[in-house]
Amino acid sequence: MKLKKKIKIGIDSPSAAGAGTISKMLAKNYNLLYCDTGKIYRYMAKQIIEKKPLDKIKFLKKISKKINLKKLNNKNLLTDDVAYIASQIAKDLRVRKLVVKFQKDLAYRPPKKFNGSILDGRDINSKIVKDADFKFYVTASVTERAKRRFKELKKLGKKVTYSKILKNLKRRDLEDRSRRYSKLKKTKDSTLINTTNLSIKGSFLKVKKIIDKKLNI
Ligand code: C5P
């Protein structure tokens, strides 16, 4: 499918609300470049865990220049330990600044073959792609999100318990919502999509309907 004009979609959400799955489906449907921006922070976190640098900022400055989408596509980034460190470093404005350009380049300058871009994260609609053509805030109850994350990690063969996942999600929600910079929040101009009682397909179709209507297709 070729769209009449290039589009940018921004999706913000707390962890495990289904935003990633919906974004991937939208990217496929409209032929958009997709980036799960949480993976950028997870990638940096994983590197810190492995290399244990003394000067974290100096180290991150160096590796941030070499980040690309291929490096972010790694199942090892999915663990809760990595997520926790990711949320810790993501609080630091100096760290966030290192990866703004990478995200903006993807959003505003996707390769020609795409009809545009879709980014999901915490601060996409408030900071990274403020002028996105379509803005959504995807959420679900924390217990539903914990259930989904539990299933996902089990499937990957990870040793996890539901209660620990729930606890970690609550902690990360609180930290992401109350930090000083680029807090997780719904911007006024984004559409709320609550996926608690929706299937993956149902969530996707709900968002697609809104986009199709505005695109006149
Ligand atoms: O979405 P995911 O759980 O993979 O994100 C990991 C962490 O990275 C989040 O808890 C959040 O602190 C941080 N993050 C962020 N800004 C984004 C995406 C993720 O601060 N745009």
Side-chain angles (χ1 to χ4, degrees):
M1 181 202 325
K2 189 108 189 109
L3 298 179
K4 279 183 210 125
K5 70 172 196 79
K6 299 256 176 198
I7 59 167
K8 298 183 290 296
I9 304 179
I11 300 200
D12 289 314
S13 76
S15 218
T21 312
I22 297 170
S23 300
K24 267 185 222 153
M25 292 168 86
L26 292 169
K28 194 163 176 218
N29 184 76
Y30 298 107
N31 185 29
L32 306 171
L33 177 72
Y34 168 56
C35 179
D36 167 359
T37 63
K39 292 266 173 65
I40 301 171
Y41 296 96
R42 285 175 181 259
Y43 174 76
M44 293 193 284
K46 180 85 177 153
Q47 294 294 314
I48 284 181
I49 294 169
E50 281 175 4
K51 309 264 162 60
K52 301 182 184 62
L54 287 176
D55 186 339
K56 292 196 183 81
I57 300 295
K58 199 171 158 196
F59 173 75
L60 290 178
K61 207 169 174 176
K62 217 164 132 191
I63 66 159
S64 65
K65 293 192 182 116
K66 294 182 200 144
I67 293 180
N68 57 47
L69 284 179
K70 216 169 156 193
K71 284 187 177 151
L72 305 183
N73 193 7
N74 182 341
K75 292 233 166 17
N76 290 331
L77 301 181
L78 292 176
T79 66
D80 264 12
D81 295 350
V82 172
Y84 178 68
I85 304 293
S87 71
Q88 293 305 308
I89 59 170
K91 282 184 202 169
D92 192 325
L93 189 59
R94 292 169 300 172
V95 174
R96 305 199 70 84
K97 279 187 174 165
L98 291 175
V99 289
V100 169
K101 187 176 178 294
F102 174 65
Q103 295 174 80
K104 287 200 174 189
D105 279 346
L106 294 172
Y108 290 90
R109 283 174 287 283
K112 267 211 175 104
K113 63 176 179 184
F114 292 108
N115 287 318
S117 62
I118 177 163
L119 268 63
D120 76 23
R122 303 292 187 281
D123 61 343
I124 305 305
N125 294 322
S126 62
K127 288 263 156 57
I128 306 292
V129 200
K130 277 192 194 166
D131 63 344
D133 304 282
F134 300 93
K135 294 179 159 192
F136 296 95
Y137 184 82
V138 175
T139 191
S141 73
V142 72
T143 47
E144 178 60 29
R145 289 189 280 127
K147 267 190 232 162
R148 292 178 190 167
R149 182 51 49 91
F150 178 67
K151 269 196 200 159
E152 184 188 9
L153 292 177
K154 270 260 156 187
K155 231 174 153 178
L156 288 173
K158 308 262 180 223
K159 264 199 197 142
V160 286
T161 64
Y162 171 79
S163 60
K164 186 137 189 251
I165 287 180
L166 181 64
K167 196 174 133 214
N168 286 345
L169 272 183
K170 282 185 179 165
R171 179 170 65 169
R172 217 140 54 82
D173 275 5
L174 183 71
E175 296 204 350
D176 288 353
R177 287 192 175 113
S178 59
R179 69 187 178 201
R180 186 151 171 209
Y181 307 108
S182 302
K183 300 184 169 65
L184 166 67
K185 61 168 187 251
K186 180 191 168 304
T187 58
K188 283 198 187 111
D189 56 1
S190 53
T191 307
L192 178 73
I193 306 288
N194 188 330
T195 70
T196 307
N197 298 309
L198 290 177
S199 63
I200 291 173
K201 188 148 183 230
S203 311
F204 162 70
L205 289 175
K206 191 166 177 173
V207 177
K208 182 178 175 295
K209 200 169 156 191
I210 296 169
I211 298 175
D212 283 350
K213 195 168 165 201
K214 205 166 150 192
L215 288 175
N216 264 323
I217 49 179

